[in-house]
Amino acid sequence: MTSILGISAFFHDSAAALVVDGDIVAAAQEERFTRKKHDAGFPANAIAYCLREGGVKAEEITYIAYYDKPLTKFDRLLETYLAYAPAGFKSFRLAMPLWLKHKLHLRRTLQQGFEAARQARLVFTDHHESHAASAFFPSPFEAAAILTIDGVGEWSTATFGVGEGNQIRLLQQLQFPHSLGLLYSAFTYYCGFKVNSGEYKLMGLAPYGQPRYQDLILKNLLDLKADGSFWMNMDYFNYGQGLTMTNDGFHDLFGGPPRSPEAMLEQRHMDLAASIQKVTEEIMLRMAAEIHRQTKMKNLVLAGGVALNCVANGRLLREGPFEDIWIQPAAGDAGGALGAACFVWHQLLNKPRRPEGHDAQKASLLGPQYSNDFIANFLAEMDAPHQRCRDEAELLPAVAQLLAEGKIVGWFHGRMEFGPRALGARSILGDARNRAMQATMNRKIKFRESFRPFAPCVLQERVSDYFAMRPDQESPYMLLVAPVLEQHRLPLSEAERKEMAEAPDLRQRLNIVRSALPAITHVDYSARLQTVDEKRHGRFYRLMKTFEALTGCPVIVNTSFNVRSEPIVCTPHEAYRCFLATDMDALVLEDFILRKEQMKRSVTDAEREKYLAQFELD
Ligand SMILES: [Fe+2]
């Protein structure tokens, strides 16, 4: 037996993954266990879970694969700081202690954290090689072009190459400081959102704006070539030497200092978001065209943080030269753990790969699960009133009925998702047709003021009835945005049209009912969708089928099971706590249904505040 433990740590989103004889046995992010969002520490809990899940003892691990080459990265940091010295000295000093403690002595750190695995061989894969491996090896394709794009690894910021059979080959790269990820993050920062987590918000803000600054960006900030490569003008950026992303030159160019996170969003910010989004799409489309030209491949696989830009992914699929696209669901650095492990198995040990028409990611349901017995004991301990269903025939119609009545349902079933999205294992569900659902979910469950709509789940066999997708096109990992079809859009009055374009409060714009599925339709009629099929999603698919039989509607709202800024719940206990602290109407824990009105007491405002205060706003 060959057990390969993949680790990603000390940057952002630490994670572990276990591959045993080529099979992806388990993978999880450390934040789910420590309850610290984007936890970057040594993933001791995630490792312990993966080994438990695989029934592998630490001393049985054959290889430990680390997703990055710390010494090369250290070279990059050192060279960058020297190039910018003395301006860069402060950020150098701030970065140094961590580097000295953990990153430089990684071999020792890994071995100390992990005494029992001392005989395991350590392999350090290149950062973008790990991303590339995570994109290609689990993909459904026998051969594919590979594109990785992120902020920065050691030196690379984007790479492309080919994967064939059990080998990948990277052909070309872009290097720091020229980085699409960092460019996008610079605008994220400038618009007042948190770098490395607010990029999603910027993408969600873009549909409110016009790409008025696109030309200004292309003229001043970067020299974009026909092949998608580009050279950034570092006169406008500060991430080489400083602790911020942008400098005064940047601020002058776009008409003022960065927005502070508490300040109102102005039309300018929306236009900036729309502009950088357009530029990103343009770059990715050009890159794809060039890669297609050079590799002649039919399919493309993607990974790296920028591959989470599902609006750009949707355009790549609809307008790009590739027939099909597969994106690693844990496209960010967490997925590097999985990539590194797969890399050792296929690339280094030369073990065969057999795609057989489907991906090897197992719906990305690679985390812990909890049995009905475990949950029964837990509920008894909590003295929580509940209904235990005998089987799905009793469970599913009851849950579908709750949803049809407009109730908000916490849905906890099977193994937890690996990657940033909830995909029907740790999800909060609602009726997408409900006009109030969008506002209610934000106010009563998430405790946030959001200008972004929720994401829909749609039955695979009906995806093309609602969205601009081919019937056979899949989006099982919620990584594609597609337009809602014309026939489901509603005519708007002149006043509504004006409000949608001009209302200063974006929630007011979002709340205008513009389609038959208002909770999931963005102001530009787009939706970030997940397709659900029985093979991958099992019980979750059958729940949606039951809902469809009851209502005729194959779409539901799926949002992650958490409050704002909280890592997605992992255990029944965390789900129960979140259920109590919010106005969620019902909680389904495997075969058990808990109803809010039957709970013996409700949470006080003080208790709720205390719960929310644990999670730092992002
Ligand atoms: Fe990365």
Side-chain angles (χ1 to χ4, degrees), residues 545-567:
K545 267 312 235 194
T546 313
F547 182 76
E548 185 200 26
L550 184 66
T551 64
C553 179
V555 181
I556 57 170
V557 175
N558 170 13
T559 182
S560 50
F561 201 140
N562 57 356
V563 296
R564 59 161 198 226
S565 322
E566 178 188 17

Side-chain angles (χ1 to χ4, degrees), residues 244-449:
T244 56
M245 296 299 293
T246 54
N247 65 18
D248 287 344
F250 188 103
H251 309 158
D252 289 344
L253 191 63
F254 296 107
R259 170 179 161 263
S260 82
E262 304 79 34
M264 250 318 245
L265 279 162
E266 297 161 22
Q267 191 58 47
R268 189 167 69 91
H269 302 117
M270 303 166 209
D271 293 342
L272 281 163
S275 307
I276 192 59
Q277 179 62 34
K278 269 274 145 26
V279 169
T280 301
E281 292 165 18
E282 181 61 30
I283 292 176
M284 286 176 72
L285 281 166
R286 285 193 197 189
M287 284 178 166
E290 174 65 14
I291 297 166
H292 186 255
R293 194 184 66 77
Q294 286 202 33
T295 66
K296 310 269 185 302
M297 288 285 166
K298 277 196 325 207
N299 305 308
L300 175 69
V301 296
L302 288 157
V306 179
L308 293 170
N309 192 311
C310 25
V311 178
N313 295 343
R315 280 196 66 192
L316 268 187
L317 185 63
R318 286 190 300 278
E319 301 168 38
F322 291 98
E323 273 174 34
D324 207 354
I325 290 179
W326 192 84
I327 305 149
Q328 165 58 237
D333 281 355
L338 177 60
C342 293
F343 186 87
V344 171
W345 178 254
H346 293 297
Q347 189 95 3
L348 299 185
L349 301 178
N350 201 20
K351 300 290 186 185
R353 196 180 143 261
R354 296 183 191 87
E356 289 165 358
H358 58 83
D359 69 49
Q361 188 82 16
K362 300 180 178 174
S364 221
L365 302 174
L366 299 167
Q369 64 182 333
Y370 297 86
S371 67
N372 278 311
D373 287 346
F374 181 97
I375 292 164
N377 285 335
F378 165 71
L379 292 176
E381 208 178 291
M382 293 291 121
D383 194 20
H386 58 264
Q387 170 192 356
R388 181 172 190 162
C389 299
R390 285 181 310 279
D391 49 23
E392 283 191 6
E394 185 184 345
L395 175 78
L396 300 183
V399 180
Q401 184 62 40
L402 286 166
L403 289 170
E405 286 166 11
K407 300 281 198 293
I408 299 173
V409 178
W411 175 259
F412 182 106
H413 168 67
R415 298 182 67 178
M416 181 179 70
E417 301 88 346
F418 179 51
R421 306 274 79 85
L423 302 169
R426 305 288 185 274
S427 290
I428 298 172
L429 310 177
D431 188 343
R433 302 167 305 163
N434 191 309
R435 291 175 172 228
M437 189 54 69
Q438 159 77 34
T440 312
M441 270 189 162
N442 271 323
R443 197 176 62 241
K444 293 180 149 186
I445 310 291
K446 296 285 183 172
F447 302 104
R448 67 177 182 194
E449 312 268 352

Side-chain angles (χ1 to χ4, degrees), residues 197-223:
S197 65
E199 283 76 7
Y200 251 94
K201 294 184 188 170
L202 195 70
M203 189 183 75
L205 187 65
Y208 292 100
Q210 295 298 327
R212 286 183 227 285
Y213 299 98
Q214 190 178 358
D215 292 343
L216 201 63
I217 295 172
L218 289 173
K219 221 155 102 200
N220 295 279
L221 298 191
L222 70 161
D223 178 11

